[in-house]
Amino acid sequence: MSYCLHSESHLDTGPIYVRENGKLHMVTRGAGGVHNVTPKARPFSLFSRSFSVELCMNREDDRARRQRTDHFIFTYTKEGNLRYSAKSLFSLVLGYISDNVDHIDSLIGFPEQIAEKLFSAAEARQKFTEPVTGLRALQKFTEAYGSLVLCSLCLRNRYLVISEKLEEIKSFRELTCLDLSCCKLGDEHELLEHLTKEALSSVKRLLLKDNSLSDAGLRRMTAPVRVLKKGLENLLVLDLSCNPKITDVGIGYLLSFKKLNCLDISGTGLKDVDAVIKRLQTQIGLVHSKVPLKEFDHSNCKTEGWAEQTVLQWEQAVMEARKPQENLKSRVAALHFYGKTRRIEEVVKCTLVEPETKASGNLQFYKENVQNCHLPLKKEVAGSHELKNNKKRALAEQERERTSKQKHLCLTVEDWDLLNTY
């Protein structure tokens, strides 16, 4: 803490005294003479009337000052007076633990109500945005609480967030909905490989629109389900639209998703569309819809859970890093001076309806006799015997799985090589 003192005493010097021959004389300015006068006793004052004090807080003292004031809650009364009260011991302990949340050993068995407050306190301090400690702290919560931390994750057109926070995204467990549309991930991306892990076997809705996928990517993604009966075995809704490299061969890999209720393959590179429609209907009971389905309008997929604000903080950090710097203005002015055009880099946004989808037509499928099925946008299909048909279809699927076990035992060389990678 530093003090700045200001005084204007140099303007008023006061009387001047001179000692001569053991006597004190006062010198007057106007007459220039010397008077033998005994000086009057002036009241003692340390500072002059124009003295002022300015309090300056150094930056290194901000943390100490914050620690002192964090123990109190400051409020104003109706009269405008400032009143402060001490915080509760629970609030003080919660703040201390959230500041050091990355040092927690484990939260397994910890009450969910207290854990949610601890997560919110750490989130307010942006602890999960830190490069190393943020990942370690987030893993403690995901290991203990799973879907409570995040049950639905929407990363549509957020490929920069995926590249910057890939390890944090992979730490989420027990997700039920995952939207990766318009991210251009490709077949070899690490996140697509993570989809086959046991941590994401709970995913029921997966949106992979416009991700440059091919038949090889579908083969890798469905290998655990086809061979080991693991992975995305609980998948109900799958969106593979706007992936022109997917052909009739890749659609054959999707037949292993026996629980699939809705499928969108619009904008793919199918050669024999009629054969694919018939194959999907006969083998997994998917019927071609003539109108768009509401499950693929991307309005229901949202980020939900404790970490909803954390994902927004990640996105804001990425957008702040992408802002142009001020020193680039001179370069732009120079380009304009020499008549050159500046290269414009814009984020390619994915639209809901692609030209390829319009050209190939609507290829969306759904199951008719499924309770609470995903109905079209313009037409609602309802039946009174849905429960009975569901039981019959469940029994038929069980018998079909029993009879198809022998087929799964006959593995190709490519499947064996793929299994050896797990």
Side-chain angles (χ1 to χ4, degrees):
M1 183 178 295
S2 62
Y3 296 90
C4 302
L5 306 179
H6 303 283
S7 179
E8 299 178 356
S9 58
H10 61 279
L11 300 177
D12 183 16
T13 58
I16 300 176
Y17 297 92
V18 178
R19 183 178 295 276
E20 183 179 1
N21 296 327
K23 296 182 179 180
L24 189 63
H25 305 276
M26 183 179 66
V27 180
T28 58
R29 296 181 182 179
V34 179
H35 300 276
N36 188 4
V37 181
T38 303
K40 297 180 180 179
R42 299 180 60 183
F44 175 79
S45 61
L46 182 61
F47 304 106
S48 63
R49 295 181 180 179
S50 59
F51 173 80
S52 62
V53 179
E54 181 181 357
L55 185 62
C56 304
M57 298 297 295
N58 295 329
R59 293 183 178 180
E60 56 267 19
D61 295 334
D62 287 345
R63 185 175 180 181
R65 182 172 56 86
R66 181 175 58 84
Q67 291 179 355
R68 290 195 301 270
T69 58
D70 278 350
H71 299 294
F72 303 97
I73 302 176
F74 295 91
T75 57
Y76 283 95
T77 61
K78 295 181 179 180
E79 294 77 10
N81 299 325
L82 183 63
R83 181 180 61 184
Y84 66 91
S85 58
K87 289 186 178 180
S88 62
L89 181 60
F90 174 79
S91 300
L92 297 178
V93 174
L94 189 67
Y96 177 79
I97 298 177
S98 61
D99 286 333
N100 303 275
V101 67
D102 56 300
H103 297 289
I104 297 177
D105 292 333
S106 176
L107 288 172
I108 298 177
F110 202 68
E112 299 176 357
Q113 296 81 0
I114 308 300
E116 184 178 2
K117 295 181 179 180
L118 178 60
F119 189 93
S120 300
E123 187 179 54
R125 289 166 169 81
Q126 296 188 355
K127 288 294 181 179
F128 302 114
T129 59
E130 298 176 359
V132 180
T133 59
L135 174 60
R136 186 164 59 246
L138 186 61
Q139 288 175 345
K140 302 301 180 182
F141 287 93
T142 55
E143 290 174 358
Y145 304 102
S147 60
L148 292 178
V149 178
L150 210 64
C151 62
S152 178
L153 178 59
C154 181
L155 295 174
R156 177 183 175 85
N157 202 26
R158 292 175 175 86
Y159 54 91
L160 292 177
V161 178
I162 295 177
S163 61
E164 292 293 333
K165 298 294 180 180
L166 179 60
E167 295 299 327
E168 285 82 352
I169 295 172
K170 290 170 59 177
S171 65
F172 292 122
R173 300 184 178 187
E174 300 180 10
L175 289 174
T176 58
C177 181
L178 181 60
D179 189 355
L180 299 175
S181 302
C182 310
C183 290
K184 306 289 185 180
L185 299 180
D187 296 331
E188 303 295 332
H189 199 274
E190 188 177 351
L191 185 56
L192 292 179
E193 182 181 357
H194 182 67
L195 292 176
T196 61
K197 304 297 182 181
E198 186 178 358
L200 293 181
S201 60
S202 60
V203 173
K204 296 182 179 180
R205 187 181 182 189
L206 181 61
L207 306 178
L208 296 174
K209 177 183 179 180
D210 193 11
N211 270 284
S212 303
L213 299 179
S214 64
D215 297 339
L218 294 184
R219 183 175 65 87
R220 293 171 59 88
M221 189 174 65
T222 59
V225 181
R226 291 185 289 109
V227 181
L228 302 175
K229 298 296 181 182
K230 295 181 179 180
L232 297 172
E233 57 181 352
N234 298 316
L235 196 61
L236 299 178
V237 179
L238 179 61
D239 185 3
L240 295 173
S241 60
C242 302
N243 290 289
K245 295 182 180 180
I246 296 178
T247 62
D248 304 28
V249 179
I251 301 301
Y253 298 129
L254 302 179
L255 301 178
S256 58
F257 295 136
K258 302 298 181 181
K259 298 181 180 180
L260 198 62
N261 292 337
C262 293
L263 175 64
D264 188 1
I265 53 176
S266 306
T268 54
L270 301 181
K271 297 180 180 179
D272 193 350
V273 178
D274 295 334
V276 171
I277 293 175
K278 185 176 180 181
R279 190 178 181 184
L280 291 173
Q281 185 174 2
T282 55
Q283 296 194 18
I284 56 178
L286 290 178
V287 181
H288 181 226
S289 177
K290 297 181 180 180
V291 294
L293 300 177
K294 67 178 182 180
E295 286 296 324
F296 301 111
D297 61 354
H298 297 271
S299 61
N300 297 326
C301 185
K302 299 178 182 179
T303 302
E304 297 178 355
W306 296 352
E308 180 178 354
Q309 296 297 324
T310 302
V311 178
L312 293 178
Q313 290 176 0
W314 294 345
E315 185 177 359
Q316 291 175 358
V318 171
M319 295 304 295
E320 288 291 334
R322 292 187 69 254
K323 285 185 177 180
Q325 300 178 358
E326 295 182 357
N327 56 3
L328 296 178
K329 294 181 180 180
S330 59
R331 300 181 182 179
V332 176
L335 291 176
H336 285 296
F337 178 79
Y338 289 105
K340 297 181 180 180
T341 58
R342 183 171 61 93
R343 185 178 61 182
I344 301 176
E345 297 181 357
E346 295 181 354
V347 179
V348 180
K349 295 185 179 180
C350 179
T351 57
L352 291 177
V353 181
E354 300 289 341
E356 298 176 354
T357 306
K358 293 181 179 180
S360 61
N362 179 34
L363 290 178
Q364 296 181 354
F365 300 84
Y366 69 99
K367 284 185 179 179
E368 289 182 330
N369 300 323
V370 177
Q371 186 180 6
N372 296 328
C373 65
H374 311 283
L375 304 178
L377 284 172
K378 300 180 181 179
K379 183 179 179 180
E380 296 183 357
V381 180
S384 59
H385 303 284
E386 290 183 354
L387 295 176
K388 295 181 180 179
N389 293 330
N390 288 338
K391 293 181 180 179
K392 292 180 181 179
R393 186 170 295 276
L395 294 175
E397 288 181 355
Q398 290 179 1
E399 293 180 358
R400 190 181 301 168
E401 290 180 357
R402 293 176 183 175
T403 56
S404 62
K405 285 183 178 179
Q406 297 179 354
K407 298 181 181 179
H408 291 291
L409 293 177
C410 301
L411 305 178
T412 61
V413 179
E414 295 179 353
D415 290 335
W416 281 114
D417 295 337
L418 185 59
L419 288 175
N420 291 331
T421 61
Y422 291 94

